[in-house]
Amino acid sequence: MQVAVFSTKSYDRRFLDAANAAAGQPHALRYLEARLTRDSATLAAGAEAVCAFVNDELDRPALEALASGGTRLVALRSAGFNHVDLAAAASLGLAVARVPAYSPHAVAEHTVALILSLNRKIHRAYARVREGNFALEGLLGFDLRGRTAGIVGAGKIGLAVARIMAGFGCRVLVHDPYPTPELAAIGATVAPLETLLAESDIVSLHCPLTPDTRHLIDHAAIARMKHGVMLINTGRGALVDARALIEGLKTGAIGHLGLDVYEEESDLFFEDLSDQILQDDVFARLLTFPNVLITGHQAFFTAEAMQAIAHTTLENLSSFAATGRPVHAVAPPA
Ligand code: NAI
């Protein structure tokens, strides 16, 4: 099958080529560096499938352009599908597939890396020591043991984070409309969001972005949290209101902030913009706080996760070529 692969970097090529070779080269993968948007969709003309990533914009005009170019499958290299207009895809006869799970551990471990780095100020200590500054002022942390970690969304990733935090000796609270039995086995307590926000020293977001969860953490939610709370978001940028975070940081309501995702990240992340002037004033303000640590959507980025993403993407493509249905179809909205 002809496949136009958008938003490609060298690491995507490496892992997709290996998976395609392992399967006997069933697909002709055409790699494009461009992001998939309504303007670039025509680059896929003639390709039966397109392969897209998290910051591609699969709105109705983009999907219409794909469909009229002969595309029948959108194979996402991500678990999240909040960037696809599923109703439009269904009405155009486009199938949408995703990679439902690749390595929840990759994201969970990165989440904990942010927690540990922020707590023990590793980002500051690293820079200080390289400058010959061995002073400890400003580097005071706290023991995780005995603290309360609140996990919002305890699916595959949230559960993995809960397990690690329980291993540190934290009391673990989770909020999830569909809690799984595994949570009890690790000693986590299911709680309403209100309780979780009020009692947690660390709040970590692992629920999907939906209309219900958009700006879940806003001014009101920050006001309900413990003063000086550590907030971590490796879910999706729009789960938090970035302007409210800045206010919370200025008053000390938020004591530490770790982000791997940002609402306006599609203009920034995955590119080297180091010789350009940063135009996003909200993002720029966040970078000025010493107690903020931001990574550019890299939580998924381990060799194991990349192999799994490539393998499942190949499965989706091959199944669609053989049966007209991908293995992991995203159902259109009811
Ligand atoms: P999952 O589907 O296994 O778990 C999501 C959980 O959230 C489910 O248990 C669901 O019941 C729960 N949930 C839904 N609505 C909720 C609400 N209003 N409040 C609390 N919980 C709610 O998904 P998984 O694999 O754990 O991924 C979670 C999210 O992590 C994804 O939706 C994606 O946005 C993000 N992600 C980020 C990555 C990164 O590199 N930073 C990589 C992969 C995923």
Side-chain angles (χ1 to χ4, degrees):
M1 195 159 64
Q2 291 278 336
V3 186
V5 185
F6 281 85
S7 296
T8 313
K9 303 286 183 198
S10 63
Y11 43 83
D12 297 303
R13 276 191 210 112
R14 183 179 140 205
F15 286 99
L16 285 169
D17 279 346
N20 199 28
Q25 304 283 10
H27 306 294
L29 304 177
R30 178 149 52 92
Y31 292 113
L32 301 161
E33 287 179 14
R35 271 203 307 134
L36 175 50
T37 63
R38 55 182 72 182
D39 298 323
S40 66
T42 49
L43 293 172
E48 246 184 287
V50 297
C51 186
F53 199 46
V54 286
N55 289 330
D56 292 325
E57 289 169 19
L58 291 138
D59 53 11
R60 181 176 278 279
L63 294 167
E64 281 170 354
L66 290 175
S68 60
T71 296
R72 294 192 303 130
L73 171 69
V74 175
L76 303 172
R77 308 199 288 284
S78 60
F81 48 86
N82 51 281
H83 52 311
V84 185
D85 183 337
L86 293 176
S91 71
L92 292 162
L94 280 167
V96 180
R98 68 179 183 130
V99 181
Y102 35 93
S103 173
H105 310 292
V107 184
E109 289 169 16
H110 188 79
T111 301
V112 177
L114 291 175
I115 293 171
L116 291 172
S117 300
L118 279 165
N119 177 20
R120 306 309 294 267
K121 282 87 176 163
I122 303 299
H123 54 303
R124 302 186 68 195
Y126 172 81
R128 274 192 199 186
V129 168
R130 288 168 67 97
E131 292 293 321
N133 176 357
F134 305 103
L136 298 184
E137 277 87 359
L139 301 185
L140 189 68
F142 57 85
D143 283 11
L144 287 173
R145 187 179 170 78
R147 297 285 176 149
T148 300
I151 316 279
V152 182
K156 292 176 285 294
I157 295 169
L159 177 64
V161 175
R163 268 205 192 96
I164 300 172
M165 299 313 287
F168 280 125
C170 288
R171 169 183 178 233
V172 178
L173 296 180
V174 303
H175 172 68
D176 194 305
Y178 305 102
T180 55
E182 289 103 312
L183 291 166
I186 59 168
T189 306
V190 178
L193 184 61
E194 292 294 306
T195 310
L196 183 151
L197 295 181
E199 296 187 9
S200 298
D201 300 293
I202 301 166
V203 172
S204 192
L205 307 178
H206 303 287
C207 55
L209 176 62
T210 64
D212 283 348
T213 60
R214 200 188 139 74
H215 289 188
L216 184 75
I217 303 301
D218 56 8
H219 283 107
I222 293 168
R224 289 197 289 273
M225 292 191 217
K226 274 190 175 179
H227 189 81
V229 67
M230 179 186 292
L231 177 66
I232 306 288
N233 185 12
T234 61
R236 282 289 179 267
L239 293 174
V240 300
D241 174 351
R243 287 186 168 78
L245 298 185
I246 290 170
E247 289 310 310
L249 286 159
K250 284 164 75 175
T251 62
I254 298 175
H256 301 89
L257 175 67
L259 302 177
D260 186 53
V261 286
Y262 175 63
E263 189 164 359
E264 305 300 331
E265 71 178 49
S266 58
D267 293 336
L268 300 169
F269 288 3
F270 307 128
E271 304 301 330
D272 179 358
L273 306 179
S274 52
D275 60 355
Q276 295 186 23
I277 304 299
L278 184 53
Q279 298 297 323
D280 184 325
D281 291 348
V282 172
F283 192 78
R285 181 68 176 105
L286 284 170
L287 291 177
T288 65
F289 296 96
N291 50 350
V292 172
L293 182 51
I294 303 180
T295 50
H297 208 138
Q298 73 173 81
F300 74 98
F301 197 49
T302 66
E304 288 80 359
M306 291 299 289
Q307 273 160 7
I309 289 170
H311 178 76
T312 305
T313 298
L314 258 284
E315 279 184 344
N316 279 330
L317 295 172
S318 295
S319 168
F320 186 81
T323 69
R325 277 195 304 275
V327 183
H328 303 285
V330 182

